[in-house]
Amino acid sequence: MIRQSRTFIATAATLCLALAACGTDIEPPRNGKTAAAAKSVTIAVSSDEGTLTPFTNQTGYPGNNLVKLIFDTLAIVQGDGVVPLLAKQIQTTDNKVFTLPLRSGVTWHDGKPLTAEDVVFSVEFYKKNMEGDSSIDVRPVESVTANGDTVTLTLKAPDPEFPRRILADMAILPKHLWSSVEKVSEAGADKAIGSGPYKLTRYDNARGYTFTANTSYALGKPKVDTVKVVVIPEESTQFAALRTGEIHMSARIVPPQQLQALERQPNIGIVKGTEFASTLLAFNTTRAPFDKPEIRRALAKAIDVADLVKTALLGQGTPGNPGFIHAGSPVKPDQLTPLYDAEAAKRELDALGAKPGPDGIRVLDGKPMSYELLVQSASTDRLRSAELIRDMLKTVGVAVKVTSLDSDSLDAKVWPDYDVRKGRNYDMSMWGWSAPVMLSSGTIAQLVASDPDDGSLNVVGFRNEQVDAIVKTLTSAPTMEARTTAAKQLQAQIAEQMPFLTLYYRNGAYAFRKDVYSGWTWQNGSAVLNKFSLVEFKP
């Protein structure tokens, strides 16, 4: 853990901690063989993830998880703490100057040595190229220098979350390959060369990927020789393939409707853990009437998030906190009172002048309160939740048309080219953020900051001066205690302004063929698709 106002020195030896420390909850074997290592494992994902460079993956999960099998970071999140990876130590006395002596003997996949100059190049390159779904914001870095095998990063202001938010997320790039790249969004698979435990040896945007173990990996021994990743969009098809053994792990959360049946199957194991990923109802706050917080709050009060968990998730989840932040987040939020009160929603809509028309649909400012709700066609629980939300809003006089789209088409309307500067084209949308967003107050702030640079995740187009002031206080706070205080103020404002309604957090449950490979282990923020699942790290 990072200590405040003291020197924080984490050593590489901490990587030898038992994987149980990562929050693993693996169901015990049932009548089947288990395999701790494997020649080949096939994983199913729901869509193509691009060329798997740090700028071209299409999703935070599982895309960025696959990228991190190829590329290493300076540190890595293990359990609730941050430990070194490419760095041997992370040293700081003030959370402003971080000194990182690097491991020796680390090479890129093409055999060239990884040096401190590669780290310096990477930081400077990310500063110039803040693009992509998983872009790294290194603007807080004032300077980065190399002295032999030691890198020093000096921040513009103290940041106690820097090791978790940047050092454990910033994939280090090989300077000799990336210095000639001018348009990162077009980087091909030939640039997916890192220092990580797996090499990308085949990519086909229709057929998927092949990863081959990096036998020269300096940090440990890969436990699987070949990892194949296939694209299977349909949820039911993925789990049917798991049952028959055509695939050996699904990167999708097990649907609640299938969990018990899969748990009873002899050769299938389940890994469970706290799932920090969020499912939201996003309001386009740049479009009337969603530009009015009073309207957004009234609509939110009509939605029973507890019923969504009960009905759409069959109880396999936690109702959303109105202030967004999960109760188990390291940010340590306050628990806010649930909003649901359908009668209050009716009264508030009445007070706002939204009177029912002849057909029962309210009319506001001369226009029927009839709106479109976008939802991903591949997500069973979001489709069911959208239907329930439609029915709930109908009871208060608001009409909703549910429109099902494939993920790419929906993203193009809500977050075109992953750039909030490019606007948005929707009324309401089912949306969600992968787990890492929930684990850092600085990242949470990006959801609501009005400046596109600071609010790179602000897909709802929200603007509020008071919230911006809190964000500034939060992101400049020098200690975790101060940040926690500011984060509680921020979540209170999110609950009040309601730029989006947090619907629920699904329980994490991932299924695998334990007769093929049983080494899958849970890590908050990356579920089971992480380095600890596939690498036997050495001290």
Side-chain angles (χ1 to χ4, degrees):
M1 298 297 290
I2 300 173
R3 299 180 179 90
Q4 302 304 324
S5 303
R6 298 182 184 178
T7 300
F8 166 58
I9 303 179
T11 65
T14 53
L15 283 176
C16 68
L17 294 174
L19 291 179
C22 298
T24 308
D25 182 11
I26 300 181
E27 294 291 287
R30 294 182 178 85
N31 305 320
K33 296 180 179 180
T34 62
K39 290 290 186 183
S40 180
V41 167
T42 300
I43 301 170
V45 298
S46 299
S47 60
D48 172 57
E49 288 290 350
T51 55
L52 293 186
T53 78
F55 302 93
T56 54
N57 57 285
Q58 300 298 301
T59 64
Y61 176 87
N64 194 35
N65 301 57
L66 296 175
V67 170
K68 292 306 195 303
L69 296 180
I70 301 168
F71 292 86
D72 275 332
T73 50
L74 291 163
I76 189 169
V77 176
Q78 185 184 37
D80 293 329
V82 179
V83 298
L85 191 63
L86 288 176
K88 289 190 294 187
Q89 296 178 331
I90 303 171
Q91 304 170 341
T92 184
T93 57
D94 58 2
N95 291 324
K96 184 175 181 181
V97 179
F98 290 84
T99 303
L100 311 172
L102 302 182
R103 284 177 177 262
S104 59
V106 178
T107 60
W108 298 107
H109 292 162
D110 61 8
K112 295 184 182 296
L114 185 152
T115 69
E117 288 300 326
D118 289 307
V119 178
V120 172
F121 166 79
S122 297
V123 174
E124 294 175 342
F125 192 83
Y126 282 114
K127 277 189 176 182
K128 298 174 184 175
N129 297 279
M130 287 179 57
E131 295 183 35
D133 175 88
S134 304
S135 62
I136 305 298
D137 183 1
V138 295
R139 289 175 301 144
V141 177
E142 181 71 39
S143 65
V144 55
T145 58
N147 183 7
D149 63 354
T150 298
V151 174
T152 300
L153 294 106
T154 302
L155 310 186
K156 297 174 183 176
D159 182 355
E161 294 182 296
F162 184 70
R164 177 185 290 273
R165 194 163 56 87
I166 303 298
L167 299 182
D169 195 27
M170 179 177 62
I172 302 304
L173 306 169
K175 179 179 179 180
H176 65 282
L177 294 176
W178 281 83
S179 57
S180 61
V181 175
E182 296 182 355
K183 196 166 185 178
V184 296
S185 62
E186 297 179 0
D190 61 315
K191 295 298 186 291
I193 293 178
S195 62
Y198 285 89
K199 301 177 182 180
L200 179 62
T201 50
R202 184 182 70 86
Y203 167 55
D204 183 299
N205 63 0
R207 299 176 62 187
Y209 308 84
T210 299
F211 297 82
T212 304
N214 176 11
T215 56
S216 300
Y217 190 50
L219 308 183
K221 179 183 178 182
K223 294 184 283 187
V224 176
D225 294 341
T226 302
V227 177
K228 296 180 180 180
V229 178
V230 297
V231 178
I232 304 178
E234 298 82 10
E235 183 178 88
S236 59
T237 306
Q238 270 199 33
F239 289 101
L242 184 73
R243 288 186 174 91
T244 61
E246 295 174 66
I247 67 168
H248 309 132
M249 198 274 278
S250 170
R252 300 182 74 120
I253 291 180
V254 177
Q257 298 84 352
Q258 298 194 39
L259 183 58
Q260 289 186 353
L262 285 170
E263 287 179 321
R264 289 193 296 266
Q265 189 157 332
N267 289 322
I268 289 181
I270 306 289
V271 183
K272 296 179 180 180
T274 301
E275 183 66 53
F276 287 101
S278 56
T279 298
L280 316 174
L281 175 64
F283 299 112
N284 181 355
T285 69
T286 66
R287 177 179 291 181
F290 307 106
D291 55 342
K292 297 181 175 66
E294 299 85 0
I295 292 291
R296 301 192 297 263
R297 276 185 61 82
L299 297 183
K301 287 183 179 181
I303 298 169
D304 186 351
V305 296
D307 186 63
L308 297 183
V309 171
K310 177 182 177 181
T311 306
L313 301 184
L314 301 182
Q316 298 297 313
T318 302
N321 174 8
F324 176 72
I325 306 175
H326 191 289
S329 168
V331 179
K332 297 180 175 59
D334 289 327
Q335 282 301 103
L336 302 181
T337 304
L339 294 174
Y340 176 61
D341 187 337
E343 293 306 312
K346 294 176 183 177
R347 292 193 299 271
E348 291 177 18
L349 289 170
D350 286 341
L352 291 166
K355 303 297 184 182
D359 57 359
I361 303 303
R362 292 177 182 270
V363 177
L364 178 66
D365 297 330
K367 298 179 180 179
M369 294 190 73
S370 180
Y371 311 111
E372 184 179 43
L373 171 56
L374 307 183
V375 61
Q376 296 89 342
S377 57
S379 175
T380 300
D381 67 276
R382 291 187 184 181
L383 280 166
R384 182 62 180 131
S385 295
E387 294 168 349
L388 292 168
I389 289 169
R390 175 196 61 199
D391 296 343
M392 292 172 184
L393 290 177
K394 184 178 181 181
T395 65
V396 300
V398 176
V400 171
K401 175 188 176 184
V402 174
T403 299
S404 173
L405 299 172
D406 64 83
S407 293
D408 289 343
S409 298
L410 189 144
D411 289 353
K413 287 179 172 291
V414 179
W415 198 15
D417 296 328
Y418 311 115
D419 186 349
V420 297
R421 293 177 181 83
K422 295 189 176 182
R424 53 208 54 82
N425 181 22
Y426 68 97
D427 295 329
M428 298 182 290
S429 179
M430 300 295 292
W431 192 252
W433 294 110
S434 56
V437 173
M438 193 67 70
L439 303 180
S440 159
S441 65
T443 309
I444 293 168
Q446 294 176 25
L447 300 174
V448 290
S450 61
D451 185 321
D453 287 333
D454 299 326
S456 58
L457 305 182
N458 188 353
V459 297
V460 296
F462 178 70
R463 303 182 68 88
N464 181 274
E465 291 183 2
Q466 185 175 354
V467 169
D468 282 340
I470 295 172
V471 166
K472 185 175 181 180
T473 298
L474 185 156
T475 55
S476 62
T479 66
M480 275 309 302
E481 291 81 3
R483 288 195 172 212
T484 297
T485 298
K488 289 180 178 180
Q489 296 172 350
L490 180 62
Q491 72 156 4
Q493 280 297 305
I494 291 174
E496 178 66 28
Q497 296 291 326
M498 199 52 59
F500 47 79
L501 173 63
T502 305
L503 302 172
Y504 49 76
Y505 323 100
R506 296 184 297 178
N507 290 351
Y510 293 84
F512 61 96
R513 295 287 305 202
K514 63 188 178 188
D515 54 335
V516 176
Y517 180 65
S518 59
W520 304 105
T521 186
W522 186 272
Q523 171 60 53
N524 289 339
S526 56
V528 296
L529 190 51
N530 60 71
K531 283 185 169 80
F532 293 108
S533 285
L534 294 166
V535 180
E536 184 179 340
F537 282 100
K538 62 186 180 182

